[in-house]
Amino acid sequence: AEHQHARYNPLRDDWVLVSAHRVKRPWQGQLEKPPPEDVPRWDPNNPLCPGATRANGEVNPQYEGTFVFPNDFPALQPDAPEPDDSDHPLFRAAPARGVCKVMCFHPWSDLTLPLMSLAEIRAVIDAWAELATELGASYPWVQIFENKGAMMGCSNPHPHCQVWASSFLPNEARLEDRTQREHLSQHGVPMLLEYAEQEARRKERLVVENADWLVVVPYWATWPYQTLLLPRRHVCRLQDLSEGERDNLASIMKRLLIKYDNLFEVSFPYSMGWHGAPMGPHLEEDCRHWQLHAHYYPPLLRSATVRKFMVGYEMLAQAQRDLTPEQAAERLRSLPEVHYKERDK
């Protein structure tokens, strides 16, 4: 806890430098602006609101639950042409096709996931599973991800996520596919199923748990309050979850996100996303080495205004963190599970 050391990340086959003493150093760097507290519930100029007009001229329906629509500025398109043939192995290109969708969680702009009801969060989970099934029928990778907060590049406070389906396995997916396949081959058990069992027994990095799920600050965490959301049983894909597992997923997501907000009493920024077994042509393959999981990557380190930067050593050498995962887990674990905005209600 007091001395620097390196920890191995078996999921990414790399290392992180843990330098817990560095969190004590004085900070004279950049201070971030906390997110606004006065977000209007409905704004006709907000393109994600019900009834608003988007950049392409389309008018949103008066939706009352989740709402999915094609991204007006997609990074992937289904009809992109083939790139030219390369004349040298150092200058390779490959086709990249797909579709990008946006999913609004709720019609109200001032309501984030931790402030939504369990039924509303469950509706989000069901919509995720439906999109994974629909897009995964033809695309090998469906990336569901949420960027929350301006600090994580989100330009709109309305509660929403994105879903990108691609004709290829992205870098992180290919890496996790390889490491999990190798672990199953060598040890006879899926890596993250074994890891969840170990963390449930050890408890030192456990944040919250219930009958079907647990959340830990992973042993190899890079970001200060990074967490890993894991099912207790072996399940490969989001759409494979049972009704009870979906209910308990809604519950544990709400508990985790309330703790995040309570840490610095601010709408906690993060990037999160689901990883599961590839789909499309891989649906007919043996994907037992995969275990469904979600990554949460929050940038805040010391307060609502001081973030962790990945620069210098991190970009040129390897990842480095300023407090141990055990310290981060203990702090999150000790936080109340009533949202700071609702304590007086």
Side-chain angles (χ1 to χ4, degrees):
E2 296 297 328
H3 302 284
Q4 68 269 14
H5 59 281
R7 296 192 183 190
Y8 179 63
N9 180 348
L11 195 57
R12 299 196 75 258
D13 189 23
D14 64 10
W15 293 80
V16 58
L17 175 63
V18 182
S19 309
H21 57 285
R22 277 172 51 84
V23 79
K24 301 174 183 178
R25 72 192 193 282
W27 181 258
Q28 295 180 325
Q30 178 173 318
L31 298 179
E32 308 292 336
K33 290 183 179 180
E37 296 284 349
D38 56 348
V39 175
R41 179 154 291 182
W42 183 82
D43 180 355
N45 296 316
N46 186 329
L48 298 186
C49 282
T53 302
R54 303 203 307 275
N56 63 356
E58 292 193 21
V59 178
N60 296 335
Q62 294 292 340
Y63 65 92
E64 298 181 351
T66 60
F67 170 50
V68 179
F69 62 92
N71 193 313
D72 297 328
F73 304 96
L76 293 164
Q77 296 176 323
D79 53 357
E82 293 275 340
D84 294 335
D85 291 336
S86 173
D87 62 355
H88 192 282
L90 293 178
F91 301 92
R92 297 167 59 191
R97 301 184 180 95
V99 296
C100 299
K101 293 182 180 288
V102 176
M103 187 179 112
C104 296
F105 296 153
H106 196 279
W108 295 354
S109 292
D110 60 341
L111 202 66
T112 56
L113 278 171
L115 294 170
M116 290 168 57
S117 70
L118 289 177
E120 290 167 337
I121 299 173
R122 168 64 196 266
V124 170
I125 294 166
D126 288 340
W128 282 342
E130 289 172 12
L131 281 169
T133 300
E134 172 195 337
L135 298 173
S138 50
Y139 288 101
W141 190 255
V142 179
Q143 184 58 66
I144 299 168
F145 66 98
E146 179 193 4
N147 295 325
K148 182 188 174 195
M151 200 180 301
M152 297 309 294
C154 183
S155 59
N156 194 313
H158 194 95
H160 71 285
C161 73
Q162 298 188 56
V163 183
W164 294 10
S166 61
S167 61
F168 55 91
L169 290 186
N171 292 342
E172 293 297 311
R174 286 191 294 108
L175 184 55
E176 289 193 2
D177 185 69
R178 175 177 66 80
T179 58
Q180 291 181 96
R181 189 185 299 275
E182 290 174 353
H183 187 92
L184 180 64
S185 175
Q186 295 170 10
H187 302 281
V189 61
M191 177 199 295
L192 292 181
L193 182 64
E194 181 178 12
Y195 179 69
E197 293 170 351
Q198 286 287 324
E199 290 287 31
R201 180 174 61 83
R202 296 169 186 259
K203 297 192 180 302
E204 58 188 329
R205 286 169 295 276
L206 190 66
V207 178
V208 286
E209 63 178 330
N210 61 29
D212 295 311
W213 300 87
L214 69 158
V215 175
V216 300
V217 177
Y219 177 79
W220 53 79
T222 298
W223 292 93
Y225 293 97
Q226 175 180 334
T227 54
L228 185 62
L229 172 57
L230 294 161
R232 291 185 183 271
R233 80 169 175 99
H234 186 205
V235 54
C236 292
R237 300 179 178 93
L238 193 62
Q239 57 266 44
D240 298 335
L241 296 174
S242 69
E243 294 293 313
E245 287 169 332
R246 294 186 188 198
D247 286 339
N248 276 336
L249 175 56
S251 174
I252 205 163
M253 283 174 55
K254 184 176 177 72
R255 293 169 63 195
L256 170 65
L257 297 179
I258 285 175
K259 285 180 178 289
Y260 269 160
D261 281 9
N262 284 345
L263 179 59
F264 299 128
E265 296 199 347
V266 69
S267 185
F268 208 70
Y270 57 75
S271 284
M272 71 79 63
W274 286 97
H275 283 174
M279 290 176 274
H282 302 277
L283 289 169
E284 303 302 320
E285 297 177 359
D286 183 357
C287 291
R288 288 177 299 163
H289 56 290
W290 270 93
Q291 173 74 328
L292 177 69
H293 58 282
H295 296 282
Y296 284 83
Y297 299 133
L300 292 178
L301 172 60
R302 298 166 180 242
S303 68
T305 61
V306 177
R307 65 175 298 179
K308 166 71 176 176
F309 288 92
M310 291 293 178
V311 295
Y313 189 85
E314 291 89 351
M315 295 177 70
L316 296 165
Q318 70 180 36
Q320 180 267 333
R321 61 178 291 119
D322 295 337
L323 75 165
T324 67
E326 294 75 26
Q327 291 167 336
E330 182 179 13
R331 188 164 185 189
L332 288 173
R333 189 168 54 243
S334 66
L335 291 166
E337 294 188 10
V338 176
H339 198 277
Y340 72 92
K341 289 185 176 181
E342 297 183 330
R343 287 178 192 160
D344 298 329
K345 292 183 180 181

